Amino acid sequence: MAASVYVCRRTGTDRLSLRGGGLIVGTEAGGAIERLVNEFGRLPGRGPKTAERLTHYLLATDKSEALALAEALRAIAEQVRPCRQCFNLTEGALCSICTDARRDASLICVVEQPRDLAALERAGTYKGLYHVLQGRLAPLENVGPEQLTVDSLIRRVQQGGIQEVILATNPTLEGDGTALYISNLLADTGVRVTRLARGLPSGSVLEFANSQMLVDALEGRRTF
Ligand SMILES: [Zn+2]
């Protein structure tokens, strides 16, 4: 095991960090340091070593930086909630997209998660509204329609004024199943239901595309 001694800038004291088994030797079991390492370790993509590194960084940095992070986390936990209409993340009753009069309110783009919405917004071409499902149908994980916001979507469409629903769930088995389920529910509404195109990513070359991408690209071809 590798041991390292470093000086905490905040307290000026020496601390001993001994890596191994996820326990930071020299700190109290169940104490503040271990608690923070455990919390960081729970974040996706963060292993125990990264969790330790982040904790040590915060211990060594200016106190105000750690408190600013704590305040940002508190604000996220207490103030951010799903938009009442589209379930995008917002600090108000309605999100900034739903309240933007310049957006085309006759279009609804259905996505799985707020991060999918963010990706489409970064692309900058879509000017309609959204509906965030908060997941996708996953029977093996016991995620059914009642765990999603499908009912709210159907109600939005039934209220009128919608011309097209774009199903932008991920092109996976579960994403496709979710899109199919929703398209069946919308079949009688008279609203146009579309699915995002799939196939070759821009900037790629045919030689390196996998066969499913090529099949999708051929099936989704359009007149030049
Ligand atoms: Zn909204």
Side-chain angles (χ1 to χ4, degrees):
M1 277 194 254
S4 60
V5 175
Y6 69 97
V7 177
C8 176
R9 264 199 279 144
R10 196 188 309 159
T11 61
T13 54
D14 288 354
R15 289 166 181 270
L16 177 66
S17 167
L18 187 61
R19 295 175 191 280
L23 186 73
I24 305 179
V25 175
T27 62
E28 296 159 36
I33 295 175
E34 192 177 301
R35 268 170 39 217
L36 187 56
V37 171
N38 288 339
E39 292 302 326
F40 276 137
R42 272 209 276 265
L43 298 177
R46 297 275 171 267
K49 286 199 169 163
T50 310
E52 267 191 50
R53 203 174 306 132
L54 288 169
T55 303
H56 287 313
Y57 169 78
L58 288 171
L59 285 166
T61 194
D62 198 67
K63 187 177 174 181
S64 61
E65 194 172 327
L67 290 176
L69 176 65
E71 184 47 43
L73 290 172
R74 178 187 295 278
I76 275 189
E78 292 181 348
Q79 295 167 21
V80 177
R81 64 187 78 125
C83 168
R84 204 174 57 199
Q85 178 168 262
C86 76
F87 297 89
N88 182 22
L89 297 174
T90 179
E91 293 183 36
L94 290 171
C95 74
S96 57
I97 295 174
C98 285
T99 51
D100 187 345
R102 293 166 301 179
R103 310 280 307 208
D104 183 348
S106 71
L107 287 175
I108 295 181
C109 180
V110 179
V111 294
E112 294 180 21
Q113 299 289 355
R115 58 178 179 268
D116 303 321
L117 181 158
L120 285 162
E121 283 298 289
R122 272 196 300 278
T125 54
Y126 178 67
K127 297 299 174 199
L129 302 183
Y130 290 94
H131 192 90
V132 180
L133 292 171
Q134 298 184 328
R136 75 276 182 264
L137 294 177
L140 295 177
E141 296 166 30
N142 289 322
V143 180
E146 59 283 356
Q147 271 84 47
L148 308 178
T149 63
V150 176
D151 283 356
S152 302
L153 171 65
I154 304 303
R155 274 199 300 277
R156 279 180 79 182
V157 174
Q158 287 172 340
Q159 279 165 6
I162 308 295
Q163 290 181 355
E164 181 177 352
V165 172
I166 304 163
L167 297 172
T169 50
N170 286 312
T172 59
L173 203 61
E174 290 171 341
D176 285 343
T178 307
L180 183 64
Y181 177 80
I182 293 172
S183 68
N184 286 335
L185 290 178
L186 294 173
D188 298 332
T189 60
V191 170
R192 184 174 182 229
V193 180
T194 55
R195 182 93 171 96
L196 283 189
R198 54 211 295 171
L200 296 169
S202 294
S204 65
V205 288
L206 293 187
E207 182 185 356
F208 298 123
N210 67 40
S211 41
Q212 188 57 53
M213 281 180 192
L214 291 170
V215 169
D216 287 341
L218 275 169
E219 286 179 356
R221 70 188 185 279
R222 61 183 181 186
T223 308
F224 197 63

